[in-house]
Amino acid sequence: MGVLQRFERRLEGLVEGTFARVFGGVVQPVEVASALQREAADHKAVVGRGRVLVPNSYVVELGPSDHERLGAYDGALRRELAGMLSEHAAEQGWSFVGAVGVHLEKVDDLGTGVFRVRSAVAEHDDGRPQPAPRPAAPMDAYRGAAAGAPPRRVSPEEAGPRLVLEGAVERVVPLTSPLTVLGRAADADLRLPDTGVSRAHAEIRLADGVATVTDLGSTNGTTVNGRRISNAELRDGDRLGVGASTLVYRSGR
């Protein structure tokens, strides 16, 4: 069982399942945990005799509504996130200079379901946010329905098929592979961590300039322009419904 799976399992037992209800929307603990792992990996440094040092102090910036909703669980959630980071670092052979701390911070300019992560190396973590703020462009914000690394924005002039994920912060997800799997699983190409999405929910195939979407036997189904489908060819402007997410297909032509 991987670090993220163990993290999810521990959360399931906290507060008699209240976490599952609190995070019923787009911001979910496992997505925050995944973003923290990426933050650590992006800022690791080799110091003396191959020792790899990563930040030990992290701040998760949340919009007002998400921050208020999580307030009652701040301590337990922060401890679990810090423990997850420690486990992940141990598996990777990374080191910290001090205790690992994760802090939740309210940021008024973030919408519901959007969060940012910043980090720093701090000798002591005294329970207060340590990292100094750094400018964050819109592409640095994580949408709860983002997959893997945050999808980058593309300019209107950039050609190529893509999905536009609608929400408080619109995301453009280029379809750069012949096959893109949409789902809730950690290994999905486009991760949609929503309780209404199956682990492997649907897939989009590109062949000879044609895109098709196929439902992968999901529990709640996949729709195109409001109609439930098992398989359908996509045309520019078609709207895919996957759980609570709406994605607009753009052919790039």
Side-chain angles (χ1 to χ4, degrees):
M1 183 181 295
V3 172
L4 289 179
Q5 287 74 25
R6 291 196 297 272
F7 172 74
E8 281 188 300
R9 184 68 57 84
R10 288 196 300 269
L11 281 186
E12 288 174 1
L14 285 175
V15 202
E16 298 181 350
T18 304
F19 276 97
R21 295 193 294 276
V22 169
F23 289 96
V26 290
V27 173
Q28 298 198 21
V30 71
E31 186 63 25
V32 176
S34 179
L36 289 170
Q37 288 186 1
R38 293 195 298 272
E39 178 75 9
D42 288 346
H43 294 85
K44 64 180 184 290
V46 178
V47 292
R49 297 188 178 182
R51 181 188 178 201
V52 178
L53 186 69
V54 294
N56 63 306
S57 189
Y58 297 81
V59 170
V60 180
E61 298 180 350
L62 298 162
S65 61
D66 285 315
H67 188 270
E68 180 179 2
R69 190 165 63 250
L70 303 182
Y73 312 102
D74 179 83
L77 180 58
R78 289 191 296 108
R79 285 192 297 273
E80 289 296 338
L81 288 167
M84 176 281 304
L85 273 170
S86 296
E87 290 180 31
H88 180 64
E91 287 191 356
Q92 301 298 318
W94 299 341
S95 301
F96 303 104
V97 298
V100 179
V102 178
H103 312 279
L104 307 182
E105 184 178 281
K106 184 175 74 171
V107 176
D108 291 334
D109 67 353
L110 289 179
T112 301
V114 182
F115 65 96
R116 289 193 295 253
V117 174
R118 65 183 198 269
S119 64
V121 174
E123 186 175 352
H124 301 287
D125 191 309
D126 59 3
R128 294 174 296 177
Q130 298 286 342
R134 63 171 184 262
M139 71 174 64
D140 293 331
Y142 295 91
R143 179 74 183 163
R152 62 181 179 85
R153 289 186 181 275
V154 295
S155 67
E157 295 77 25
E158 185 174 353
R162 55 196 181 273
L163 294 175
V164 179
L165 177 63
E166 296 186 337
V169 175
E170 186 177 90
R171 287 293 171 197
V172 178
V173 184
L175 298 173
T176 57
S177 300
L179 175 65
T180 300
V181 175
L182 286 61
R184 186 165 47 87
D187 59 353
D189 299 307
L190 175 54
R191 188 162 187 236
L192 303 170
D194 168 348
T195 54
V197 174
S198 298
R199 293 182 62 81
H201 195 105
E203 66 179 23
I204 295 177
R205 288 184 177 273
L206 297 174
D208 300 323
V210 176
T212 56
V213 58
T214 301
D215 184 81
L216 299 176
S218 65
T219 301
N220 294 317
T222 302
T223 64
V224 174
N225 299 326
R227 181 174 61 87
R228 187 162 178 164
I229 57 91
S230 57
N231 180 272
E233 181 177 327
L234 292 175
R235 294 178 174 80
D236 188 65
D238 280 349
R239 299 170 65 84
L240 281 71
V242 180
S245 298
T246 299
L247 305 102
V248 180
Y249 173 70
R250 292 299 181 187
S251 65
R253 296 175 183 173

